Amino acid sequence: MKIKNLLITLGVTLGSLTTALSAQAAEPEYTFKLHHFLPPMAMAHKDFLQPWADKVMKESGGRIKIDVFPAMQLGGKPPQLFDQARKGVVDISWTVGGYTPGRFPKAGAFELPFMAASAEATSMALQQYAEEEMQEELSDVHVLALHTHAPGSLHSRGDMIKVAADLKDLKLRAPNKAMAEAFGIMGSAPVFMPVTQMSSALAKGILDVAALPFEVVAPMKINQLTNNHTLVKGDRGLYTQFFLFSMNKQAYEQLPADLKKVIDNNSGIELARHIGYLFDQSEQHGYDITAKGGNHFYTLPAAEADHWKQMMQPVTDAWIGDMTEEGANGQALYDKANALITKYQKKTGS
């Protein structure tokens, strides 16, 4: 009798174990590839993209699995990432909009000199602006979110940059078209390149100065290749870049309604806010790491920052004019972007 009961108990236990293992071994219904350009130690990968993929999998009950591929592991170059998602080479991509100049002209309002506030406020403003003004530019993909990084700073291999004249003839990495024009006005020699190329360019002397946020300084080892850092503080920073987090349309449309809802619940303005918050927090972390290395810092006085802003104003005027020539109301778009940033600055307190 005892043996019989033991076998019955053992049978129940084995049956439960088999069921559990079968459930664990069940294949997801949809497996997507998410591709981006930064290394796996970067904040964007560790704190944003991988956790986002994990959250989608959890909320879908394991029915959606998203494999994240950093550092261009699936091939191509950073400027190709948007088209990789658009064409279905990958299912989801995260990239910098400015890597393809002229592709998203309306978003250029957020990359103009002295436009950006905190990443959190600016990202929320950009997301609302994109939903209302950029439908045509983004019609070929399913948009998950648009966002920005925190306002960037200048990182120099040579002397500290304290006044506009200090930029004259320096080879300066420009993050986007607008800032290349702005730094050109100030007498520097702008060099446009993705962030992934900057470490090598600084080490080889191809660049004298890098314009970028502190958030990527440590993972790209910029703090070891530069020793002087110029910051622009105040209500609006020197510049920012905008990022596109997008999904292949067919990949999204194939999902049943309940799984589309999972994606939708992890998209939009709240996601933009979350990403912006992460970038703001990481900005301070990157600054702290740089400071611990004994590097030197200088914050532009308000009067000098105003002088830079005035010198760079022609870039903003040209963008407004170009947008108007293309059939949009450039001034209205600029005013809307500016007003939205102010609106979300008040909401976030940043």
Side-chain angles (χ1 to χ4, degrees):
M1 189 67 177
K2 289 182 180 180
I3 295 175
K4 182 179 180 181
N5 290 337
L6 178 61
L7 289 173
I8 291 172
T9 302
L10 185 59
V12 170
T13 303
L14 289 174
S16 300
L17 181 60
T18 302
T19 301
L21 289 173
S22 297
Q24 288 181 356
E27 290 293 322
E29 296 175 34
Y30 301 91
T31 300
F32 296 133
K33 296 176 182 178
L34 193 169
H35 200 201
H36 71 90
F37 61 96
L38 287 180
M41 71 284 294
M43 182 281 295
H45 178 87
K46 293 189 304 177
D47 298 339
F48 157 41
L49 293 165
Q50 188 61 61
W52 180 87
D54 294 341
K55 187 169 183 282
V56 168
M57 185 171 186
K58 180 179 179 181
E59 293 181 8
S60 72
R63 294 166 64 196
I64 297 176
K65 183 175 186 290
I66 299 174
D67 295 322
V68 184
F69 297 89
M72 302 306 299
Q73 288 178 356
L74 298 179
K77 297 180 179 180
Q80 298 171 325
L81 279 165
F82 178 80
D83 280 331
Q84 286 185 352
R86 181 180 68 85
K87 295 177 180 178
V89 176
V90 301
D91 304 292
I92 303 169
S93 71
W94 176 75
T95 190
V96 175
Y99 285 173
T100 51
R103 185 74 173 272
F104 311 100
K106 289 184 178 179
F110 289 80
E111 295 187 322
L112 294 170
F114 293 92
M115 184 61 127
S118 70
E120 184 178 9
T122 310
S123 295
M124 295 179 78
L126 174 59
Q127 180 66 27
Q128 181 178 337
Y129 177 94
E131 290 173 2
E132 297 173 358
E133 302 291 346
M134 294 177 61
Q135 302 95 329
E136 186 175 345
E137 292 179 15
L138 298 169
S139 62
D140 289 340
V141 296
H142 178 78
V143 176
L144 299 170
L146 279 78
H147 71 93
T148 70
H149 62 54
S153 302
L154 299 180
H155 311 270
S156 174
R157 295 172 66 243
D159 295 336
M160 184 73 76
I161 297 165
K162 295 184 176 181
V163 296
D166 292 339
L167 287 170
K168 185 172 175 57
D169 297 328
L170 294 182
K171 294 169 289 186
L172 188 152
R173 179 262 178 172
N176 52 51
K177 180 176 180 290
M179 292 311 297
E181 294 170 355
F183 290 128
I185 287 173
M186 298 180 75
S188 70
V191 180
F192 179 75
M193 66 174 62
V195 67
T196 49
Q197 298 176 12
M198 278 196 298
S199 298
S200 175
L202 284 166
K204 294 176 181 177
I206 296 171
L207 289 179
D208 300 309
V209 183
L212 77 164
F214 278 96
E215 168 260 323
V216 291
V217 162
M220 302 303 297
K221 302 187 185 304
I222 304 300
N223 56 320
Q224 299 175 25
L225 297 166
T226 61
N227 54 3
N228 288 314
H229 310 272
T230 302
L231 292 75
V232 178
K233 296 186 177 180
D235 185 53
R236 302 291 178 92
L238 178 59
Y239 84 95
T240 193
Q241 296 226 92
F242 81 95
F243 295 76
L244 292 151
F245 189 33
S246 53
M247 185 172 186
N248 176 265
K249 265 196 163 183
Q250 290 182 335
Y252 175 79
E253 291 297 338
Q254 71 176 316
L255 295 172
D258 60 332
L259 292 184
K260 282 181 182 176
K261 190 173 188 303
V262 172
I263 298 294
D264 295 345
N265 289 345
N266 289 280
S267 304
I269 198 160
E270 284 306 315
L271 177 60
R273 178 176 190 162
H274 174 66
I275 302 168
Y277 173 81
L278 291 175
F279 272 78
D280 285 331
Q281 296 302 304
S282 186
E283 189 71 4
Q284 184 61 48
H285 179 67
Y287 177 92
D288 292 342
I289 290 176
T290 306
K292 286 179 181 177
N295 292 24
H296 307 290
F297 302 86
Y298 180 79
T299 299
L300 286 188
E304 183 63 18
D306 286 342
H307 177 53
W308 286 32
K309 184 176 181 179
Q310 291 170 12
M311 289 185 71
M312 294 178 176
Q313 183 61 37
V315 176
T316 297
D317 295 339
W319 181 86
I320 291 172
D322 290 344
M323 292 304 302
T324 301
E325 285 182 11
E326 292 175 14
N329 186 329
Q331 187 65 53
L333 289 172
Y334 174 81
D335 291 343
K336 182 169 186 174
N338 195 38
L340 285 171
I341 292 172
T342 299
K343 167 187 169 181
Y344 286 110
Q345 278 182 291
K346 292 176 180 177
K347 282 196 172 186
T348 60
S350 59

